[in-house]
Amino acid sequence: MTFSLDDDRDIETILGTAPVVPVLVIEQVDLALDLAKALAAAAMTTLEITLRTRAALEAVKLIREALPNLCVGVGSVRTPAQLNAAALAGAAFAVSPGAGPKLLDAAHDDPLPFLPGAATASEAMALAERGYTIQKFFPAEPAGGTRYLRALAGPLPELRFCPTGGVTAANARDYLALDNVIAVGGSWMVPSAAVASGDWAAITELARAAVAIGQGRAV
Ligand code: 3PG
């Protein structure tokens, strides 16, 4: 266990202070630091690096060492081994698109703050039985978007969600306006073309607008 930002921070604190979380797919580790700096320049404090590329864990380590004030989580965690690898890389939290029993058992035994995913009332209730009152809602738009989340609030008032998957600058405000949404995640402020071409100014600009949405400001 190497993360040290604020070891006592839980998912509620992490998401409660980061209403918009950039979800990153890092293909080239040598671009990771510039990308993180572009986001930090926009006052982004928290980001999620998905385990969808070979570069992901190395990118987490690099960013944690160079920018220790950034809260760097690992996303797309599907297995206990990946959860363990996330902790070893220095991740401050872990996110899963879903929640298999083996992964939940491993998360129970791991101090790394964990955000499991649900897309139905039954999945959300199963996670609540395990104590997860904050869950990722994934994939948010295909699963029903804000209407679906609003409908869950009645029967599941104790649960709050971080919707991701199809969240954009155009709909993030609508999600954040819901009482059962603590934060949103998305990749809209990190277009892959801008990352590939090293257009960090464009990413900072998009990230600034995303931060403003999280703060409820007009952009
Ligand atoms: C995630 O892993 O949370 C999502 O894939 C992000 O979805 P987006 O790319 O549609 O924002």
Side-chain angles (χ1 to χ4, degrees), residues 11-38:
I11 282 292
E12 182 169 20
T13 312
I14 291 167
L15 295 181
T17 52
V20 176
V21 179
V23 177
L24 312 182
V25 179
I26 297 183
E27 302 282 357
Q28 287 174 258
V29 76
D30 53 333
L31 299 181
L33 260 189
D34 285 336
L35 175 54
K37 284 179 188 166

Side-chain angles (χ1 to χ4, degrees), residues 124-125 128 133-134 149-161 179-181:
M125 287 166 65
T133 55
I134 298 180
L149 274 175
R150 197 178 291 114
L152 288 182
L156 304 174
E158 67 283 8
L159 301 187
R160 280 181 297 162
F161 297 92
D179 287 340
N180 62 348
V181 167

